[in-house]
Amino acid sequence: MVHSQHGLHVLVCGGASDAHTWNLVCLQLLLEEAGHRVTNLGPCVPEELLARECLTRRPDAVVIGSVNGHGYQDGLRAVRRLRREPSLTALPVVLGGKLGVAGVRDATAADALRAAGCTALFDDGDLDAFDAWFGDLAGRSARTRATVGAPTGGTRA
């Protein structure tokens, strides 16, 4: 397992209607391998529990995985609930896996998710894009941490 001082704290869970677990374990391992710390809430996470855990744990990002094909519906409810919390409006929330039961991308549902505040969508099997996205997020986060507390100029007497 690779550890990084720049790793993010990522909260992973399944949607409220999705009882699948191995996808969440795989996501956890993938993220940990990239140097992130992961809290895995498991499957069937109700929106209220997700919001409460985000408020308590203060993750750097949330990943909602879907295997049952109800990702669009579960994700929309979850994102809307998270965005109702003022302190969670900027929290990156990503959704991935089998997002719909039809087996094709649903542009209307994807647009609704983005409008509700979903930061990124990853269709089934797009792990390279997922990994790249988290790498970019971790890089931005590391740069932000490096500038916080840095001298802003001026002199000391």
Side-chain angles (χ1 to χ4, degrees), residues 110-133:
D111 289 345
L113 278 161
R114 286 186 193 92
C118 188
T119 313
L121 297 169
F122 298 96
D123 288 322
D124 199 16
D126 199 358
L127 291 179
D128 289 337
F130 178 83
D131 192 42
W133 188 89

Side-chain angles (χ1 to χ4, degrees), residues 10 16 20 23 34 37 39 53 55 60 75 80 82 85 89 91 93-94 108 117 122 128 134 136 139 149 152-153 157:
V10 182
H20 294 88
N23 62 313
R37 298 172 316 282
T39 299
E53 290 295 319
L55 289 167
D60 297 306
R80 284 178 174 161
L82 292 176
E85 297 294 334
T89 57
L91 175 67
V93 178
V94 301
T108 302
F122 298 96
D128 289 337
F134 266 96
D136 289 345
T152 57

Side-chain angles (χ1 to χ4, degrees), residues 69-120:
H70 298 283
Y72 287 124
Q73 295 87 357
D74 285 349
L76 188 58
R77 287 191 308 272
V79 170
R80 284 178 174 161
R81 175 61 189 95
L82 292 176
R83 297 308 185 221
R84 286 198 320 251
E85 297 294 334
S87 63
L88 301 178
T89 57
L91 175 67
V93 178
V94 301
L95 177 63
K98 187 175 179 189
L99 303 180
V101 295
V104 295
R105 293 180 183 184
D106 183 337
T108 302
D111 289 345
L113 278 161
R114 286 186 193 92
C118 188
T119 313

Side-chain angles (χ1 to χ4, degrees), residues 38-51:
V38 177
T39 299
N40 190 336
L41 298 180
C44 297
V45 175
E47 295 81 21
E48 289 301 320
L49 174 61
L50 178 59

